[in-house]
Every structure is written in C-alpha cells, then in structure tokens.
Amino acid sequence: MTTGTVTIKAPQDAAERAAATGLIPGRPLIPGQKRTVDLTTLTRTLQLRSAGLTPGVVVAHAVRRRLAVGAREKLQASAARQLIVDQLRTGVEALPSHLGIDVDAVLERLLRTGGVARVLATDDPQALVGQALEVLLLLPAPGDRVDRRTLVPGSPHALDEGPLPALVLAVMGVSGPRARDAWAEVGVDIDDLVGGLIVTGVHPDGWAIPDGATLTLPPKELTGIKWASPSTPDSWVFVTENPSVLSASVQGFIQTSGAGSTPPRVVCTSGTPSRTECEAIAALTAAGWRVTVRADFDTRGLQHVRSLLASAPAAKPWRMCAADYLAVTRHGSGTKVVVSETPWDPELGAQMDRVGVAAYEEDLIKLLVGDVLAGAPPVTP
C-alpha cells in the first residue's frame, strides 16, 4: 500500500476523524464524506513521523492484525529451501568423481520433482542431508560392491525405507520398480542370494537348460563359476546392461524359431556389474566362448564397459563406438552426460563430450536383437 490511490470514508466518531489530522490533504472531512487519497503522497507524509511507517502498517495496527504474515512465511520458507540447496551443492561437489554426479542436474531435478520439499518436511532437514552425504561418500567405485547394511554404521536397517534412502537414490538419479534394483544400479547389494546376472543360452557346467530359457544366477552361484563350453567353437556371448535387450532377444527367437535363427546367448548385468559378476563374465572366455560387451552411452555405462573389458581383456566392445553413438543421438537433446575415458574407442569419448547427452541401449534395440539372433556382433575396424 505505497503506490496508487485509495478512497476513504470519514468515520462518525470525532476522535477517529481527529486521528487523521494532517494525513489527509484538503479541508477536514465531515462524517460520512469520501475522498480519494494518493498513497505515494500519504506514504511520504507518514514517513516524516517515522521512517518505517507505511499506509499498510497503519491499517494493520488500526484493525489489530499482524502485518504481512504470508509474505514473512514465504520469505522464511525460501530461506530454508536455499539453505538445503546450498548444503546439497557443497556436499555433492565434494563427492568422488567416479560417482559421475552433475550437481546442477541433481539440484534441478530435486527442485522440479519436489525432492527438496520432501526434505524440508522432515523433522531435521539439515541432519537428513548430512547423513545422506555421508552415505554417498561410501558408495563404491565402478567394479566394486558394498553391502547396504554397512553404509550407516551402527544402523544396518537405516536404508531399508524412509526419507534417507529416498534422498540418496534421488541424488544418484536412479530408480526402479523395486528398491533392490535401484541400489544394485549404484553398486550396493543386500545379500548374495538375490541379484547377480540374468542369462539365456549359457549356464554353469553340468546344468541342463532349454534353448531360450532365462534364469538368474545370484552372486552365490557366480563365485568361482565354471561355465559349460559352447557346442560350436568361436560362439559368441553378448553382454548387455539392460534386461530389455535380453527380453527382446528371447522374444525374437521365439517368434522366428525354426527359421534358422541362433538361440540367444545373452548375459545381462542389470546395471553396475560387481567384481564377482565381472569375473564370472571373464570366466566365459576360459570356457571357450567369445564375449562382446556393451552398456548405455552414459556416465555409468562407460564405467561398466571399462570394468568388463578390464576383467575380460579378450572381450570385444559391441556397437559401442562413436559411429553407434552418433547414429542414435542429437546434440542438446536428452539427459546430460559426464564423459569419462573410452580407451576402446577414444573418438567415442570425444563425440560424447561434444554432443553432451546420453543415449541408451533401447535406442539400438532392433540392431542389438538382430546381432544376437545372427549369432555374432558386426565386424568393426
């Protein structure tokens, strides 16, 4: 109430009219008389009496109401939100680079999806953020795994459910139909009986599995595994990150069965491969299989491929070069990516850094399924 105009009506009570003496320009008003008052002029007049006075302050005092409660509450909420955002920014920037977290992308996502609001709704938002940052510091490097129950010392079930695990996973930008899947994607295990590798067309030595059947080999079965050898020398096994590739390959085999298609031989890591899983994939070459590996064209995908190739030096990349990436992505369109080294094809890293966005296995799925059913990856230079 410091600009514009307002129309006032003089009260019947003489004392009330006298209280406005000197504030309303012109002749004194008689009871019931109206006059339009310029608020800018009135504000200047009030501030001659006290620098902090405004027409709004006078009105609030007259009707005995607190002034600007809503505005003050909004200001306090904004300050609390900024405090959490600043705490997250400082903490995330200090996290190890191998986590591949883009702090600006994290904050934008948390603000857009209500993540910051959910943090502020907890009893102690700053303590929650601090605890989440401590958990993030303990997340494993690519190729390593940790037990989720060890990430909060003295509280093995702290990450089972609630705002703490939700915030950790939100910062990492992972989700899944089950919490177990989301944790597995960032290298965190719950036990050695669930998770592991999804396979079709290959199996441990001594097992009898029908063509096209799919099974999950948990970490307990993968430790020191000995694979059955291929019936045909130089047969290929395709290693992928996403179950969608394995599922589509099996479905394609079922639809073309009897038409000369090769039974699919696919191993799926379902996210970040553990050291045990990398060693199990490397053991395929010892059993006589040729192995080709790939993952998404994103920060974690590049880490996955590096880990797999380091564990299995005889393995080959599978449609994981610069030309494959450029064929399915456009500059500036998609999720931003933090590029890491691509020693199997340095040009891939250069192009991903130039284009700056991720691409996923599903973008290539028709080509990938075709390779699986043909029984061999494409020949690359």
Side-chain angles (χ1 to χ4, degrees):
M1 294 183 65
T2 58
T3 58
T5 60
V6 65
T7 299
I8 63 172
K9 180 179 179 180
Q12 296 294 325
D13 186 82
E16 292 179 356
R17 294 197 306 275
T21 301
L23 298 179
I24 308 301
R27 295 174 61 85
L29 298 173
I30 63 175
Q33 185 180 2
K34 296 181 179 179
R35 183 170 296 168
T36 298
V37 176
D38 179 75
L39 289 175
T40 301
T41 301
L42 178 58
T43 299
R44 286 198 297 265
T45 302
L46 286 168
Q47 290 179 345
L48 290 174
R49 303 190 179 190
S50 175
L53 283 178
T54 67
V57 171
V58 174
V59 171
H61 176 72
V63 298
R64 298 181 180 179
R65 293 184 60 181
R66 297 171 62 192
L67 180 65
V69 174
R72 184 161 53 249
E73 290 177 346
K74 288 181 180 179
L75 184 62
Q76 291 170 345
S78 177
R81 182 171 59 252
Q82 190 60 49
L83 182 64
I84 293 302
V85 168
D86 290 344
Q87 184 184 5
L88 281 166
R89 177 177 294 280
T90 300
V92 171
E93 287 177 343
L95 293 174
S97 60
H98 67 73
L99 294 179
I101 301 178
D102 182 333
V103 64
D104 290 326
V106 166
L107 294 176
E108 186 278 331
R109 184 174 63 250
L110 289 176
L111 289 167
R112 173 173 46 82
T113 62
V116 171
R118 288 189 289 274
V119 169
L120 289 168
T122 62
D123 293 337
D124 193 339
Q126 287 181 269
L128 173 61
V129 171
Q131 194 172 21
L133 291 169
E134 290 177 2
V135 172
L136 288 161
L137 280 169
L138 297 177
L139 292 184
D144 290 338
R145 310 287 289 192
V146 297
D147 188 322
R148 191 176 71 177
R149 293 165 295 192
T150 68
L151 291 175
V152 182
S155 186
H157 299 292
L159 296 175
D160 287 356
E161 59 183 358
L164 177 59
L167 179 57
V168 172
L169 293 176
V171 171
M172 292 299 296
V174 296
S175 61
R178 297 178 303 165
R180 182 184 294 274
D181 298 330
W183 284 112
E185 193 171 340
V186 295
V188 178
D189 295 323
I190 298 175
D191 51 52
D192 65 352
L193 297 177
V194 180
L197 298 174
I198 307 172
V199 301
T200 185
V202 292
H203 52 77
D205 192 29
W207 293 25
I209 306 296
D211 287 341
T214 301
L215 65 152
T216 299
L217 298 175
K220 187 175 186 298
E221 297 293 344
L222 295 174
T223 302
I225 191 172
K226 182 179 180 182
W227 297 96
S229 298
S231 56
T232 304
D234 295 328
S235 294
W236 287 92
V237 174
F238 299 83
V239 179
T240 180
E241 176 183 351
N242 295 289
S244 55
V245 177
L246 186 151
S247 178
S249 298
V250 171
Q251 188 61 33
F253 172 69
I254 293 173
Q255 292 172 351
T256 60
S257 183
S261 59
T262 302
R265 296 182 289 267
V266 183
V267 173
C268 176
T269 65
S270 296
T272 302
S274 67
R275 179 180 287 113
T276 297
E277 291 164 1
C278 288
E279 291 173 353
I281 290 169
L284 286 163
T285 60
W289 294 94
R290 301 183 72 183
V291 177
T292 186
V293 304
R294 66 158 296 108
D296 289 326
F297 289 111
D298 62 5
T299 304
R300 293 193 189 94
L302 300 182
Q303 293 171 346
H304 300 168
V305 173
R306 283 202 308 275
S307 297
L308 290 167
L309 293 177
S311 296
K316 305 295 183 184
W318 172 29
R319 291 194 185 272
M320 204 67 194
C321 67
D324 301 311
Y325 170 73
L326 293 174
V328 294
T329 192
R330 292 179 299 171
H331 181 73
S333 176
T335 304
K336 299 300 181 183
V337 62
V338 179
V339 180
S340 50
E341 293 182 0
T342 55
W344 64 91
D345 179 14
E347 181 63 16
L348 171 61
Q351 292 297 338
M352 289 182 67
D353 188 56
R354 179 182 67 84
V355 177
V357 297
Y360 302 97
E361 291 190 311
E362 287 78 6
D363 299 324
L364 288 161
I365 198 160
K366 289 185 178 180
L367 292 173
L368 301 181
V369 171
D371 294 342
V372 172
L373 297 184
V379 176
T380 56

